[in-house]
Each structure stands twice: as structure tokens, then as C-alpha cells.
Amino acid sequence: MNLPRVQLAVGEHLIEARVARTGEERALGLMFRREMEENEGMLFWCEECAVQNFWMKDTPLPLSIAFIDDDGTILKIADLQPHCLEGESSERPVRFVLEVNQGWFAQRGIRAGARVAGPVFLERV
């Protein structure tokens, strides 16, 4: 899928994220991807602010996932294992979910409470 891209930043760390906005784009997500560049990711932009649940069906790439509040605050980070059908929940209503290579957040010392900056969050402040 040829999705639009947006540049995001967490402190000095940049992420080039593909943006999945439609139901079809979000359902496909990173399925079947075998690799991703080090600072690449996918931002899921959901229509409704709700508790979001993500799993790894047909996704061979180990990922880390961040559930993000409208103002860009990371509420939760979790690691997802390839092909695992056990989902990970945001636990609180969110509109944004960011997937990156597994360990990306941990390697940079990024934890819940950090802020993601980018044009999608500026629109919502």
C-alpha cells in the first residue's frame, strides 16, 4: 500500500511513519512485512478515540507498539511477537497507535509519558 508519510519526533529521535487512516489500511497494517528501516514505523490514526486492540496476525516482523494520546503523550508501550494472536490493549481510549521495530523505544530510553511531536498532534492540541 502506498500510504502517506509523516515525520514524527520523540525528543531528538526521528521516525518516518506511514499513516494508516482507513479501516482497510489499519486492518492490513504491517502484515506480511519482513523488514523495516531502523527509524521507520506505521502510525494508525483511528476515527474514534476508543480503547484500541492490536495483534500480529500474519505479521512476521517483531514490533514495539505505543498507544498515544491526542496531545502526543505516550500512554503505554509494549512489545509484540511475530504472528501472535494475543492482542495488546491501549487500556485507555486513544486515537493514535505507533508501531516501530521491536526495541526501538527501549534502545532510546523512551517510556510512557514521553511526547511524540508531529503535524498530526499539532492539529489536535
Side-chain angles (χ1 to χ4, degrees), residues 3 28 31 69-70 72 103-104 109 119:
L3 299 175
L28 182 59
M31 282 184 177
D69 207 356
D70 278 358
W104 191 91

Side-chain angles (χ1 to χ4, degrees), residues 47-61:
E47 288 109 15
E48 294 182 32
C49 188
V51 173
Q52 306 296 335
N53 295 292
F54 280 67
W55 58 90
M56 296 285 284
K57 183 177 191 249
D58 297 322
T59 306
L61 189 63

Side-chain angles (χ1 to χ4, degrees), residues 13 18 33 38 53 62 64 66-67 93 99 102 109:
H13 307 289
R18 295 177 188 269
R33 288 277 306 262
E38 180 180 350
N53 295 292
S64 291
F67 297 97
E99 290 180 340
Q102 192 172 91

Side-chain angles (χ1 to χ4, degrees), residues 55-124:
W55 58 90
M56 296 285 284
K57 183 177 191 249
D58 297 322
T59 306
L61 189 63
L63 299 171
S64 291
I65 189 169
F67 297 97
I68 306 171
D69 207 356
D70 278 358
D71 69 356
T73 302
I74 297 174
L75 301 178
K76 178 182 176 182
I77 296 173
D79 287 337
L80 300 173
Q81 300 307 315
H83 303 290
C84 183
L85 297 180
E86 279 187 39
E88 193 64 51
S89 169
S90 63
E91 298 172 6
R92 293 178 37 198
V94 297
R95 185 180 323 274
F96 300 102
V97 180
L98 177 63
E99 290 180 340
V100 293
N101 286 306
Q102 192 172 91
W104 191 91
F105 296 110
Q107 291 164 4
R108 290 156 180 81
I110 298 168
R111 300 182 192 345
R115 297 266 318 247
V116 179
V120 296
F121 301 110
L122 294 176
E123 293 173 12
R124 307 220 157 266

